[in-house]
Amino acid sequence: LQRHNYCVQASQPNQRESRTPVFWKIRMAETRLGASALFLIMVCSCMAVGHVGGARVRRQATPATTAANKVIATVFGEQYQTYFDLCDIKANAGENDTFEVRKSTNSGKVQICGTNGVAISKGVYWYLREYWNVTVTWGFNFSGVNFKVPSPMPSVAETVRVSSSVKWRYYMNVCTVSYSSAWWDLTRWEYEIAWMALHGINLPLSFTGQEYVIAEYYKSLGMTEEELQAYFSGPAFLAWNRMGNIRGWAGPLTPDLRKAQFDLQLDSLKFMRALGMTSVLSGFSGHVPAALERVVPGIKLTESAGWGNFNASYTRVRLLDPTDEHFVPLAKGFYKVGMCF
């Protein structure tokens, strides 16, 4: 993501250097007041509608602003939600995720508007970093957060409009779940999701709990729990089980644990989707339990080679030939079961 390469495009000369990543483009929106005021207020059913930097703004709580407020509360504390006036805007033609930062007319709060929850959260972090010198990085028990409220609170002189130069900003890889997040609970996951939003991530890998769907699918085909346990690894080694490296190692992956991880996934996805993220879920890989030969007679399976000096009883994962006539029907069945949840 080129985190340390930055650029700024400003309409005014001598703008101070910006630390915004290169994939966000900045321009200073015009703020002249004339016959058509910058803020056109319309009150209807407790909803205010205005215009910021030429973009239409909705001033009531929305799923995006509610999710972004949750990001603020999760990382900095609920008391800091009152420092900001969050709102929605629509992107202009050709723009990707976009936010605007300006001084609000509402009690001196800083107004931050965005095209979705991620964009709004990114705008909050942009303001905090540029004006408060805040940094939010990985760390244990908030040790990665450098946060101190300046006094007096810096104001925003003119509207800043920032657009991402790319549509998708991806995060995580398949090993992360076992290196870092194997034992995370919902509180820890929500903190991570908030961290993603502050940094503009909108395409996170979301692999938690997939074994529940896999197990339900194979049980519907007639597989037993004992046969499933011979396939699943324990929770600390699921990354390598999912990649087809190992099977049955350091288990069991009990039904209760599978369901708990699945419920955790649902709660995490709810927060991600409220922010406007697109979650990358697991697909049908073709790594299958050996018992599939019993429940689907005539299926064509091969064995992978040994891996990582593990005993052969824990490697040699069965692989379904993608040219086998059963591959597509089995894949479709897997997705249909997943969609049930």
Side-chain angles (χ1 to χ4, degrees):
L1 295 180
Q2 303 181 26
R3 295 180 187 279
H4 304 291
N5 295 330
Y6 306 105
C7 66
V8 60
Q9 298 174 0
S11 61
Q12 303 293 331
N14 301 320
Q15 294 291 335
R16 61 193 179 87
E17 181 181 357
S18 171
R19 296 195 298 272
T20 297
V22 68
F23 51 83
W24 290 87
K25 299 177 181 177
I26 306 175
R27 68 176 177 82
M28 312 302 289
E30 294 182 358
T31 57
R32 297 189 301 271
L33 293 177
S36 178
L38 176 66
F39 237 80
L40 173 63
I41 304 299
M42 299 174 61
V43 179
C44 179
S45 300
C46 300
M47 180 179 73
V49 178
H51 287 76
V52 177
R56 186 176 178 83
V57 179
R58 293 188 179 274
R59 299 299 306 281
Q60 70 174 159
T62 67
T65 59
T66 300
N69 264 315
K70 183 175 179 178
V71 168
I72 295 171
T74 299
V75 178
F76 306 112
E78 290 184 0
Q79 65 271 33
Y80 296 106
Q81 293 174 328
T82 60
Y83 284 64
F84 302 99
D85 182 16
L86 307 182
C87 54
D88 293 344
I89 59 173
K90 290 184 178 181
N92 295 326
E95 282 186 328
N96 294 312
D97 288 352
T98 299
F99 65 80
E100 289 188 350
V101 179
R102 68 182 300 275
K103 187 174 181 179
S104 174
T105 59
N106 184 10
S107 304
K109 296 180 181 180
V110 174
Q111 186 179 76
I112 300 176
C113 307
T115 51
N116 53 45
V118 169
I120 296 171
S121 301
K122 177 67 178 178
V124 170
Y125 187 43
W126 185 92
Y127 168 78
L128 291 175
R129 189 179 58 196
E130 295 292 322
Y131 287 84
W132 292 18
N133 292 319
V134 168
T135 55
V136 180
T137 61
W138 260 33
F140 181 71
N141 287 343
F142 299 94
S143 62
V145 179
N146 175 32
F147 180 77
K148 183 179 180 180
V149 180
S151 181
M153 184 174 172
S155 62
V156 178
E158 56 186 331
T159 296
V160 179
R161 186 177 180 88
V162 183
S163 296
S164 174
S165 60
V166 294
K167 182 176 181 179
W168 301 111
R169 284 88 60 193
Y170 178 79
Y171 177 60
M172 286 195 178
N173 65 54
V174 295
C175 290
T176 304
V177 294
S178 291
Y179 287 141
S180 302
S181 61
W183 311 112
W184 287 1
D185 58 10
L186 182 59
T187 299
R188 181 62 184 87
W189 263 114
E190 288 190 338
Y191 183 86
E192 191 70 14
I193 294 165
W195 181 92
M196 296 179 204
L198 291 174
H199 290 83
I201 302 300
N202 67 350
L203 191 66
L205 188 67
S206 306
F207 268 16
T208 304
Q210 63 178 276
E211 285 71 27
Y212 178 79
V213 177
I214 293 171
E216 293 302 302
Y217 178 46
Y218 286 137
K219 285 194 293 185
S220 74
L221 298 179
M223 208 169 290
T224 67
E225 180 64 28
E226 183 179 1
E227 290 170 330
L228 288 171
Q229 291 300 337
Y231 172 66
F232 289 133
S233 70
F237 296 89
L238 286 174
W240 297 278
N241 184 221
R242 293 164 181 168
M243 289 188 288
N245 301 133
I246 57 176
R247 58 185 174 91
W249 174 259
L253 191 69
T254 65
D256 287 345
L257 183 54
R258 296 197 300 260
K259 183 60 165 61
Q261 287 291 293
F262 177 73
D263 291 340
L264 174 61
Q265 169 80 328
L266 293 183
D267 289 334
S268 300
L269 291 177
K270 183 178 180 180
F271 189 19
M272 291 180 187
R273 289 166 179 171
L275 285 163
M277 296 179 180
T278 298
S279 306
V280 181
L281 305 178
S282 60
F284 182 76
S285 64
H287 306 138
V288 298
L292 196 61
E293 289 181 306
R294 179 185 65 78
V295 298
V296 184
I299 198 168
K300 190 193 307 181
L301 301 182
T302 58
E303 288 186 357
S304 63
W307 182 83
N309 294 321
F310 276 74
N311 185 288
S313 61
Y314 297 112
T315 58
R316 300 194 176 281
V317 177
R318 302 311 194 271
L319 304 174
L320 175 56
D321 188 332
T323 65
D324 186 278
E325 62 180 353
H326 298 94
F327 190 98
V328 171
L330 285 169
K332 287 182 176 180
F334 171 80
Y335 294 126
K336 286 181 179 178
V337 171
M339 290 297 292
C340 290
F341 302 106

